[in-house]
């Protein structure tokens, strides 16, 4: 008889051959292209999203919105770009805030939208509260007679909409190159996320509710890290809750590419064990 | 300081106000429109998808594909059809097979595709291995001069594609009205599902791996239940695993509408406790 | 050698077999489901859209927005609902205003969005300036335990978004049944449209620029025509021009189904011959 | 009173302010990224698509499929990448064949799919029989630890699906760099297209039916032009007519970027004047 261990796959669907999971198992390998706008929000509002043992970060009002493009494959999934290219590309828009865990500064992603199902599912495993949306980001082809290579003077804009509502729009007007170490807090800090999976039993606690620290290794960086003037607007929605995190002041905007491997995570705290 | 219990929401996103979860908590209320084609598959292939303590059902080779339209709202979510109508409508295509649990005949959904993110997420909570796809189903407006009300002689077709590949197509040519009690096995039987949520810890078992029985109450039925000749084809895919469940023989096709409430589920078995 | 008359098809693509045109030739047969909100706009703004020999209509400030669902097939296309069902269904949101031609009251469709390519193309042939968008309209399945049949007290909402921007949202709260003859001006009046096709020659006039009257025959009506309180909002856009036509006062809202055949059109005026 | 010349816009919608046309007027400026697979088809089938005065080209059986990404702006539309970035980006899959006009070798695009409405509309003006589909093309980010810069050994694949059916898939395995002058016939030859716009008058000829030669100036080339082994498959469809043009033999595959300006076209022949 079939045993549960005969069903294969990192995640749904669990199948006899394990070849159709919406994502294969980690490590997961990513390449990115970011348009980030760092800003100050209301720290009291940020605090409402950070449950103990998480706390506000050392710069409690600082947040950033990241409009990004992603190229991803899972371990042993190098064939996928040529089997079904769409399964290896997606776009994302996310609000990140600083936080800290037992004195260690970090960051956490709050509302976030992506445009592919596999990214939404993988996000849920990693504590990203992903929902589907449309993300559009300026892109230039330097061979278009009216376009140039990205550089000083380039303007780029990211927009995210979901369920017919525009939610956020941000832009950069590049004025300088910086070193990646100059990217502002909390970019690059460890990611502390809340993993959650609900129960179907009436009145029960969630089936999963844990604080994790996401790993990231094997960093690769495009040496061209651009910075400039930023602009960021949030738009009201009938069904989203991003508005309390809206920008009060823009810190700056950044445009860069990098890549890394996700090797797994460490469980820091289990709220179900409290 | 914010406590974990201050973050509200049945599922992601967990937020200060709990107003933007991708779905609100159950009970969930559904209205449906089904185009189902019952068929015989290879029972040895079906068996590979049914892990102990699940077993084959009393008619071990019988399965059906359901192409369906859904109208859903969550408890206290009666305003959503007028806030964001798209959040209350979706389409689905699914392969169902008979099974049994400790001698009780039931059914389980195997590969399944939907066209909205909220349905995919809610499906994952309920043990439906949902991925996104395009589902199209014949529909008629009797006021179109070349169309009629659905009835004897009507032909209707459902098609599902995902990631650019057509996966399944099925049709009915209606030849009679039946009573809903005549819908064939395993339609209408209790649903036994495998709930799963992966871990992010290298080498760890999944965080959730349990067998549940999904509840269903408050059944409403359109008295017009149509039956007829069926047709069903599966198409090969580079990334899906439905082909081994392909039809060997068509039993019949059925077209009907109903509705019900999902009140929650009962956990029958926890594989992590083995 | 192949002659131009060997290429078949009502429209692109023109092909050896003529089987893949984006739409087949007329007559075109339609079934509809409308949620219309009649309102008063600024007549000076309406006038700007009506070029001689079109003029303002007898109620020069009256307009309506129609959120609608369509079931369409072309002549001899009765098989399409079962070949590729998606090719026979679409949704639309449109702004209509009254006008007149040589003393005959009529109506003309101004900005309009649909969600399928074949409807956009066919619209262009008919003088509808269609662009693609997302249209969502409340729908109810009476078998959902929390839903009812449409009737007095039912509230329904239509929303249209395009390119990530919400553009219009309107609703009805049904309070009575009416006769179809009570639907307000300019609903049901002859349609006078501007057909246009640009030239690719620098400095040239358009290749087509004519005023047509669209035919409509074989009307079928659902006797249930609902009316009620209406609500309608227009939202600003960076790239659309609907705002000057925004509602100043709501007249009422209407929900009904009908169907008809488009047999062709009559050319009333050729601006290129001026 | 409003005159027809008061309505502005290169194409629909024609409006008081002329700011919402689906595309602005030419010149149109393009940047491209191509994955082309040159192949031999059945010349008798190709001939069926070339109406006099077009004729077969000097290599009558040669065709190519182009899977491509486009960055486009219209004259004076340089702000659009930052107003609504999605309006400046699209993907395309097209079948091109060689042809000739009065002894001049050229090329013509036969079936073609794009993923944006503005590209479909502009295509129709230019004689491209565009319909909407999903196009996915391999892309690599060299900062993904498992990806590299494009170069010798790189494999890339393009896929096009429409209305739920996969239609064509092709790939390149790069083995050398070439000079752009080595790109095979008929790439780069003048484009001879059939512009068509149907009439709505029963029994009438089309309103537009002319042979044009599309201009192209201001060519910009990425010096890295890659060539390699190609692969190309066509898949059967219930509603498309590409199969008779299916590959019999692959010539080679090419991956390159360029850009140019479309300054307008020349009308070579008017079939309506015959």
């Amino acid at each position: 008889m079939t045993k549960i261990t005969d069903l294969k796959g990192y995640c749904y669907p669990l199948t006899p051959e394990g070849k159709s999971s919406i994502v294969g198992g980690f490590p997961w390998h990513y390449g990115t292209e970011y348009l980030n706008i760092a800003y100050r929000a209301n720290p009291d509002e940020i605090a409402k999203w950070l449950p103990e043992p998480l706390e506000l970060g050392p710069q409690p009002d600082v947040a950033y919105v990241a409009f990004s493009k992603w190229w991803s494959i899972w371990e042993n999934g190098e064939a996928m770009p040529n089997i079904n290219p769409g399964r290896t590309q997606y776009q994302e828009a996310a609000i990140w805030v600083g936080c800290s865990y037992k004195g260690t500064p970090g960051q956490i992603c709050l509302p976030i939208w992506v445009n592919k199902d596999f990214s939404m599912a993988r996000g849920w495993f990693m504590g990203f509260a992903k929902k589907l949306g449309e993300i559009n980001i300026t892109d230039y082809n330097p061979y278009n007679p009216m376009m140039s290579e990205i550089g000083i003077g380039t303007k780029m804009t990211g927009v995210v909409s979901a369920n017919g509502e525009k939610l956020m729009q941000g832009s950069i007007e590049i004025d300088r190159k910086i070193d990646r170490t100059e990217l502002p807090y909390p970019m690059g800090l460890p990611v502390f996320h809340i993993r959650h999976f609900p129960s179907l039993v009436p009145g029960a606690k969630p089936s999963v509710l844990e604080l994790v620290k996401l790993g990231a290794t094997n960093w690769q960086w495009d040496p061209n890290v651009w910075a400039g003037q930023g602009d960021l607007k949030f738009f009201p929605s009938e069904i989203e809750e991003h508005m309390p995190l809206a920008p009060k002041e823009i810190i700056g905007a950044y445009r860069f590419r990098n890549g890394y491997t996700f090797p797994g995570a460490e469980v820091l705290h289990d709220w179900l064990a409290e």
Side-chain angles (χ1 to χ4, degrees), chain A:
Chain A
M1 194 62 207
T2 302
K3 297 192 170 315
I4 192 66
T5 45
D6 294 325
L7 288 183
K8 302 181 180 53
Y10 172 68
C11 62
Y12 290 137
L14 306 173
T15 65
E17 296 189 62
K19 298 188 319 180
S20 59
S21 294
I22 202 173
V23 286
F26 56 86
W28 295 320
H29 309 283
Y30 299 98
T32 78
E33 206 172 89
Y34 281 103
L35 166 52
N36 291 358
I37 301 97
Y39 70 98
R40 295 187 190 280
N42 179 339
D44 295 333
E45 290 295 337
I46 289 178
K48 293 178 183 175
W49 293 75
L50 308 179
E52 292 177 337
L54 281 182
E55 299 177 281
L56 283 166
Q59 297 185 42
D61 62 341
V62 174
Y64 68 96
V65 166
F67 296 98
S68 51
K69 293 176 64 170
W70 294 76
W71 292 251
S72 69
I73 56 180
W74 55 77
E75 190 73 356
N76 301 316
E78 295 96 311
M80 190 61 85
N82 283 284
I83 294 174
N84 197 298
R87 302 275 86 201
T88 64
Q89 304 169 22
Y90 60 99
Q91 303 201 145
E92 188 176 279
I95 301 171
W96 290 86
V97 301
C99 60
S100 64
Y101 171 74
K102 295 190 171 179
T104 302
Q107 58 177 329
I108 178 172
C109 184
L110 301 183
I112 173 172
W113 296 268
V114 291
N115 67 349
K116 293 278 172 80
D117 59 347
F118 69 87
S119 177
M120 178 173 132
R122 181 170 54 201
W124 283 51
F125 310 150
M126 299 174 80
F128 287 97
K130 293 188 179 184
K131 295 191 284 188
L132 285 194
E134 290 178 50
I135 297 94
N136 282 282
I137 307 172
T138 305
D139 200 30
Y140 295 113
N141 180 317
Y143 301 100
N144 180 313
M146 300 293 292
M147 294 183 177
S148 320
E149 293 279 4
I150 290 168
I152 289 169
T154 301
K155 188 175 175 198
M156 307 186 82
T157 297
V159 192
V160 56
S161 301
N163 302 309
E165 304 180 307
K166 185 180 340 189
L167 300 173
M168 303 189 295
Q169 181 163 332
S171 66
I172 184 172
E173 194 159 347
I174 293 172
D175 60 25
R176 66 197 189 280
K177 201 181 266 198
I178 64 173
D179 186 81
R180 61 179 176 88
T181 55
E182 299 177 73
L183 286 167
Y185 167 99
M187 295 180 207
L189 292 184
V191 177
F192 297 116
H193 267 180
I194 300 166
R195 279 189 9 119
H196 175 277
F197 193 67
S199 171
L200 287 184
V201 175
K205 286 184 172 183
S207 297
V208 175
L209 189 56
E210 60 194 20
L211 181 70
V212 295
K213 180 178 170 189
L214 302 183
T217 64
N218 209 356
W219 286 94
Q220 317 284 319
W221 277 87
D222 179 348
N224 297 310
V225 178
W226 300 105
Q229 294 300 304
D231 187 43
L232 183 63
K233 285 194 191 71
F234 282 24
F235 302 91
S237 157
E238 304 278 344
I239 59 175
E240 302 289 357
E241 284 185 59
H242 61 303
M243 291 300 289
L245 299 167
K248 297 192 156 316
E249 181 193 323
I250 306 301
I251 293 169
Y254 309 85
R255 203 279 182 178
F256 58 94
R257 298 192 296 166
N258 65 23
Y260 62 96
T261 294
F262 171 78
E266 181 191 347
V267 179
L268 301 178
H269 182 81
D270 183 359
W271 279 287
L272 298 177
E274 285 183 353

